[in-house]
Amino acid sequence: MMIFFIIAGWITMARLLQKSIRPMDWLLRNSGTLQTCSNILEKSCNLHTDLRPQQQLVIRVMEKHELEEKTKIITQMVNDEGWNQCWNWVKFLFTTVPNKCYLAEINSKLIGCAASFDTGIDIPTQYIGYIVFKPEYRNKNYYTTLSRYVNNHINKEHNIIGNVINRLIPFYEEKENVKKTSLHLTVYAGTLNHSALNDDEANSNIKVVPISEALMSNVFQYDAAIYTASRSKYLNAWFNSGFTTTYVAIDEEGLVLGYTTLYEVEHSYRISPLYANGLHVAKKLLAKVALTIKDEKVMLYGPHNNLVKLANQHGMKELFQFTRMYSKQDIPIPLEKSVYSISGVVQFI
């Protein structure tokens, strides 16, 4: 039952973004004084669903042979709810990260989905995400039906994690024994301020170079120390996906000090992840990114304490705040190797 409430958090997020104005799109396209997404969420939040009789809903697991077709539809549903993703990423995600994608269909027509992802860390842990529906099927009992189905098919022995909007935490803590961690995540969007990224003498011994085969194994080791598990197979595919650009920060002796990957989504770029041994290294990596994308919009999604100063220096706008919650066990994150932007919504960090 506890897992149902974590899943409900993702459902709530999807429903809160169903307005004709797509909040994230709105913030990315406009400058000036804007109503923040958090205000929109505050006014729209409602955990109730329409319990009217529904058409015959069939839920099944997506098969490999239909991945290309279904992920295109899923990408459209995700973007309809304002999350600004690209099909390359969605297809890559469902191809590369072990998962089960539950398709909700009426008359063989895909109307929604939900997915559980294996994080790959030593503690068996699943992440619940990508709970989306087509606009005409929102505000109905399909959400409840799908979430209960996923709840019944998740391995109950596994730890389940999810990121919950801060204002909803008391609801989960009251209704069920759901625990929150000290990890607070914030999504920021805006442009990179070139003047805030100017080199200084203290950073003169740091070089930022495109990732290469010679650097791969060192980056894998660096990443594993932060992620708490090796994911070299995933990273190798990520770096060589054809739609990403990765830069590595190294010192004079070739020691890896951080790395970042960026890719283009709808109306902006995602920086995912941005790992760096300190703010000065993160700024060096972002300076390289800024030269690559010029004045295009970017999005960062990472631990609030590490990211807030960097985001403020660039005048970025805060979109959402989340707190990591879990069902069985907290997973400590080594933030001494600073995480400025996580690997992705469905990744552990």
Side-chain angles (χ1 to χ4, degrees):
M1 186 63 181
M2 193 287 306
I3 300 170
F4 173 77
F5 287 109
I6 290 181
I7 296 172
W10 284 97
I11 293 173
T12 302
M13 273 299 300
R15 295 185 61 242
L16 298 179
L17 293 169
Q18 67 187 272
K19 290 182 174 290
S20 58
I21 297 176
R22 292 164 39 174
M24 195 171 295
D25 225 13
W26 182 35
L27 285 168
L28 288 170
R29 290 186 181 202
N30 294 276
S31 59
T33 304
L34 298 174
Q35 182 184 22
T36 64
C37 283
S38 60
N39 288 337
I40 295 172
L41 295 174
E42 181 76 26
K43 292 180 179 180
S44 304
C45 184
N46 185 344
L47 291 175
H48 297 289
T49 55
D50 183 352
L51 299 179
R52 289 175 293 182
Q54 52 180 271
Q55 295 173 269
Q56 184 62 42
L57 185 70
V58 174
I59 301 173
R60 63 181 181 86
V61 175
M62 180 171 65
E63 299 180 17
K64 287 184 178 180
H65 70 84
E66 57 185 349
L67 186 142
E68 185 155 329
E69 172 198 355
K70 301 302 184 186
T71 53
K72 286 182 179 178
I73 302 173
I74 292 171
T75 303
Q76 186 59 56
M77 290 192 292
V78 168
N79 286 337
D80 284 343
E81 295 192 344
W83 287 107
N84 291 45
Q85 257 310 344
C86 67
W87 177 57
N88 283 332
W89 160 248
V90 177
K91 180 183 177 184
F92 173 85
L93 177 68
F94 283 101
T95 303
T96 310
V97 180
N99 70 87
K100 279 191 176 180
C101 182
Y102 301 92
L103 305 179
E105 298 176 326
I106 292 178
N107 297 327
S108 300
K109 175 186 176 183
L110 180 60
I111 67 160
C113 72
S116 63
F117 297 88
D118 184 355
T119 61
I121 61 178
D122 291 339
I123 302 168
T125 301
Q126 291 180 299
Y127 192 103
I128 306 300
Y130 273 76
I131 302 180
V132 290
F133 277 83
K134 288 185 175 181
E136 61 269 31
Y137 294 98
R138 301 171 198 160
N139 277 339
K140 301 184 185 294
N141 199 36
Y142 298 122
Y143 284 106
T144 305
T145 304
L146 179 59
S147 65
R148 285 175 177 165
Y149 184 92
V150 174
N151 179 46
N152 290 334
H153 287 78
I154 287 177
N155 188 333
K156 301 301 189 297
E157 299 301 315
H158 285 190
N159 194 32
I160 306 299
I161 61 174
N163 298 334
V164 177
I165 299 173
N166 287 352
R167 68 177 301 272
L168 297 180
I169 291 173
F171 170 82
Y172 295 115
E173 291 180 321
E174 177 186 350
K175 293 293 183 180
E176 195 67 36
N177 187 27
V178 183
K179 304 174 182 65
K180 63 183 178 181
T181 72
S182 59
L183 178 59
H184 302 289
L185 298 160
T186 305
V187 181
Y188 287 97
T191 56
L192 295 175
N193 181 352
H194 291 249
S195 63
L197 297 170
N198 286 338
D199 288 344
D200 54 50
E201 292 184 5
N203 297 338
S204 60
N205 64 333
I206 301 173
K207 291 176 59 179
V208 176
V209 297
I211 195 164
S212 63
E213 287 297 327
L215 284 171
M216 273 300 184
S217 61
N218 290 339
V219 173
F220 293 162
Q221 292 177 21
Y222 178 86
D223 181 271
I226 298 173
Y227 193 77
T228 73
S230 174
R231 50 176 179 169
S232 56
K233 183 178 179 180
Y234 166 84
L235 290 176
N236 187 63
W238 180 233
F239 297 151
N240 292 287
S241 63
F243 67 93
T244 62
T245 302
T246 300
Y247 296 110
V248 185
I250 57 175
D251 65 12
E252 293 173 323
E253 298 179 354
L255 181 69
V256 174
L257 303 175
Y259 81 93
T260 191
T261 300
L262 69 148
Y263 64 99
E264 189 172 4
V265 297
E266 193 175 83
H267 311 308
S268 67
Y269 283 83
R270 291 248 177 145
I271 298 176
S272 175
L274 172 56
Y275 294 166
N277 290 2
L279 182 61
H280 64 294
V281 179
K283 289 174 67 174
K284 289 285 287 191
L285 286 163
L286 286 179
K288 188 69 172 181
V289 169
L291 291 173
T292 303
I293 65 174
K294 307 302 180 184
D295 295 322
E296 296 288 336
K297 300 286 195 305
V298 298
M299 294 179 64
L300 292 163
Y301 178 26
H304 182 79
N305 290 342
N306 288 351
L307 187 54
V308 62
K309 183 176 179 180
L310 187 63
N312 287 340
Q313 288 177 346
H314 294 273
M316 291 186 172
K317 297 186 181 298
E318 180 183 302
L319 303 186
F320 306 105
Q321 280 197 13
F322 300 89
T323 295
R324 172 69 51 80
M325 302 191 79
Y326 62 95
S327 63
K328 292 181 179 294
Q329 185 174 351
D330 188 9
I331 303 166
I333 298 173
L335 292 179
E336 68 273 7
K337 286 197 171 181
S338 297
V339 179
Y340 289 90
S341 191
I342 63 175
S343 301
V345 174
V346 301
Q347 294 288 319
F348 172 45
I349 48 171

